[in-house]
Amino acid sequence: MLNGYRFEMIIGCMSAGKSSELIRRIERARLAYLPTIICRPATDTRSKPNHVESRNGLASQAIVVESARDMLRYSSQSVVIGIDECQFFDDDVIDVVQALLKQKKKVIASGLDLDYRGKPFGPVPYLLALADRVDKLLAVCRKCGSDFACRTQRVVQSSEQILVGDSQYEARCIHCFEPPFEYQLKLELPEQASIPATALLV
Ligand SMILES: [Zn+2]
């Protein structure tokens, strides 16, 4: 039986290192001889079959599942279950994760928290509310180079929520992020008082 955190989430924008962090945590469990699996949805066609791959070249064996419920068929022999690209599952994943936790398994899920519009992605907000530990990873902004990229900018025209592929996206900070017009903030903001530099140090 495991102690400690039961449900961990690793979230953030693209290129933040989510998959490599998931692989690191799963490999760590494997070094302790805990039976593990990683599942990823069939929607994500970038990795080679039966693998999860990170952009920095890490790879681990993974089971490609058509639906969240399929994970229950493969998880019975495992103690630690990794879920990559959890934003691509439908809402069933919320019940599936809770069923795994009831079976005293540890679940580590990674995925995008926001879609290209800057809106919460699929079941991720629900999963975040259930998680015992959340790590939000940031990337480097492709436009200004700041260390605080937290949005995934789509750089091609399409209104599909899911458009799989790395070349259509880049990581951006909130100042450089340009969502489609209909998703831009419409609030009239009052004139900003200048913020003393010391306030930014808090
Ligand atoms: Zn930027």
Side-chain angles (χ1 to χ4, degrees):
M1 184 150 136
L2 287 172
N3 291 315
Y5 293 112
R6 284 266 177 256
F7 179 29
E8 301 177 357
M9 286 201 75
I10 306 158
I11 49 141
C13 64
M14 73 177 294
S15 306
K18 301 183 300 299
S19 294
S20 50
E21 178 61 15
L22 174 67
I23 293 169
R24 187 188 74 80
R25 291 189 197 180
I26 293 291
E27 293 296 336
R28 185 175 160 273
R30 284 179 183 162
L31 289 172
Y33 302 105
L34 294 176
T36 64
I37 55 164
I38 300 180
C39 295
R40 69 173 177 84
T43 325
D44 181 16
T45 51
R46 289 167 302 170
S47 297
K48 57 185 178 199
N50 302 320
H51 278 78
V52 53
E53 291 176 317
S54 66
R55 288 182 186 79
N56 63 358
L58 287 180
S60 187
Q61 282 209 322
I63 298 167
V64 178
V65 291
E66 291 293 331
S67 72
R69 281 172 193 274
D70 286 347
M71 286 194 273
L72 296 173
R73 293 197 298 151
Y74 297 107
S75 59
S76 60
Q77 302 300 314
S78 298
V79 174
V80 183
I81 321 290
I83 307 173
D84 194 32
E85 306 288 359
C86 63
Q87 78 279 357
F88 287 148
F89 286 109
D90 64 19
D91 284 353
D92 280 354
V93 72
I94 299 159
D95 284 348
V96 168
V97 166
Q98 292 183 94
L100 293 169
L101 298 174
K102 285 274 189 193
Q103 293 172 344
K104 296 194 163 47
K105 295 178 190 297
K106 177 170 177 170
V107 179
I108 309 171
S110 68
L112 293 167
D113 48 352
L114 300 170
D115 66 12
Y116 77 100
R117 305 169 300 178
K119 298 288 179 192
F121 210 137
V124 172
Y126 297 91
L127 295 174
L128 285 172
L130 294 170
D132 303 304
R133 171 183 169 181
V134 175
D135 289 286
K136 185 156 183 161
L137 305 184
L138 300 171
V140 174
C141 177
R142 280 278 291 276
K143 196 164 180 192
C144 75
S146 88
D147 243 344
F148 306 106
C150 52
R151 299 286 189 276
T152 300
Q153 176 75 48
R154 182 175 282 178
V155 291
V156 295
Q157 288 289 331
S158 172
S159 56
E160 296 286 317
Q161 191 193 22
I162 297 171
L163 196 63
V164 176
D166 282 352
S167 58
Q168 292 99 322
Y169 299 97
E170 61 186 37
R172 297 250 183 117
C173 72
I174 194 164
H175 304 296
C176 298
F177 178 60
E178 297 165 290
F181 178 77
E182 60 270 39
Y183 299 105
Q184 291 174 6
L185 283 180
K186 303 294 190 299
L187 285 176
E188 288 284 335
L189 295 175
E191 194 130 324
Q192 283 262 34
S194 68
I195 300 168
T198 48
L200 301 173
L201 299 174
V202 176

